[in-house]
Amino acid sequence: MSDPNAASRPVQAVVLAGGQGSRLRPYTDDRPKPMVEIPGTGTPIIGHQLSWLAEEGVTDVVVSCGHLAEVLQKWLETADLPVSVTTVVESEPLGRGGGLKYAAAHLPHPDQPWYATNGDIWTRFSLRDMADFHTERDAIATLALARPRLPWGAVRTDGFGRITDFIEAPPSTFEINAGVYVFSPEFAGLLPHRGDHERTTFPHLARERRLAGFTIPQGSYWRAIDTAKDLTEAAKELAALGR
């Protein structure tokens, strides 16, 4: 039985892999952030991302490189990849929005929707469900939303100010931008040539009610790899999940 939503789901994606990764040093002294391996997996972050995108129906990926681009490009050329990959390098810094626009110009199907993900995100959830959510809401852009665990313990008190419970690393009460996106074809034309789309394009779309937020389902794995502690925690969590 055919899936009526399949035709509207992206088969192409952009991975933004140009960050300096300064908080991950010394791991990023000789490699870009997406090339850092999660201990115990033998796979760099971007390897995980490309496998995930392929599982979700993506066939073509544009990787936007920057810091130590040649290291990432060499790995992509020699690895056995599940998708077709093109790399682009900005000749000058364009900012997040400009870089996204530049990368999107190299997608093979400019008239079709596309996914995008930041190069330091380690996650697993259904992109197909997110794409259907995007279509149902007639959005131009949809952001995945996560509730990260706080790095501190929390306390619960009663109405008299007495502590009733301690909660280790509770999830945030606020949702955050999880660094994974679905974009309609016209989104690329709304991006700035230079600058930050989160201060220009996203607020504009929000005012027009064309910006949607897809909450990552409870129980799905999500973590941004920003620091050495994130690497350690990710290794523990993935081992517990049996991955």
Side-chain angles (χ1 to χ4, degrees):
M1 185 174 172
S2 62
D3 186 340
N5 294 319
S8 62
R9 293 175 188 146
V11 296
Q12 56 186 355
V14 168
V15 176
L16 297 171
Q20 291 280 341
S22 56
R23 290 197 293 166
L24 261 175
R25 286 177 178 155
Y27 297 99
T28 50
D29 284 345
D30 62 352
R31 69 196 63 193
K33 199 175 185 182
M35 281 299 299
V36 173
E37 293 184 6
I38 305 296
T41 68
T43 304
I45 298 169
I46 194 165
H48 162 87
Q49 291 181 321
L50 295 176
S51 295
W52 175 49
L53 290 169
E55 290 168 9
E56 293 295 325
V58 172
T59 57
D60 294 271
V61 177
V62 176
V63 178
S64 178
C65 308
H67 175 63
L68 296 173
E70 64 281 0
V71 177
L72 178 52
Q73 289 173 317
K74 184 176 180 179
W75 183 83
L76 290 168
E77 288 168 5
T78 57
D80 182 16
L81 302 176
V83 291
S84 176
V85 173
T86 302
T87 60
V88 297
V89 182
E90 299 168 22
S91 57
E92 57 180 334
L94 299 174
R96 291 192 297 176
L100 194 58
K101 188 182 189 79
Y102 181 69
H106 293 79
L107 288 167
H109 311 290
D111 59 339
Q112 295 180 19
W114 45 293
Y115 298 116
T117 180
N118 296 343
D120 59 356
I121 301 299
W122 189 271
T123 187
R124 286 275 168 158
F125 65 90
S126 174
L127 285 174
R128 291 181 174 90
D129 287 350
M130 185 176 172
D132 294 346
F133 178 95
H134 172 84
T135 300
E136 287 162 5
R137 279 144 189 82
D138 193 28
I140 291 177
T142 296
L143 287 61
L145 305 176
R147 290 185 186 272
R149 291 199 168 273
L150 298 177
W152 316 281
V155 295
R156 183 173 283 133
T157 59
D158 63 15
F160 294 97
R162 292 180 296 231
I163 292 175
T164 59
D165 199 6
F166 291 89
I167 308 164
E168 186 62 32
S172 167
T173 55
F174 292 99
E175 293 179 313
I176 66 163
N177 180 349
V180 180
Y181 312 89
V182 182
F183 296 133
S184 293
E186 61 265 42
F187 179 75
L190 302 176
L191 286 165
H193 291 285
R194 188 186 303 270
D196 189 347
H197 60 293
E198 294 195 9
R199 297 183 180 181
T200 54
T201 311
F202 280 173
H204 170 73
L205 291 176
R207 286 193 294 270
E208 292 190 343
R209 300 293 188 267
R210 301 297 298 277
L211 184 68
F214 174 82
T215 300
I216 295 176
Q218 190 172 4
S220 299
Y221 187 77
W222 180 89
R223 180 177 281 276
I225 308 296
D226 289 321
T227 65
K229 184 179 180 183
D230 290 325
L231 280 176
T232 304
E233 293 297 320
K236 288 180 187 174
E237 290 161 354
L238 291 170
L241 290 169
R243 293 177 181 168

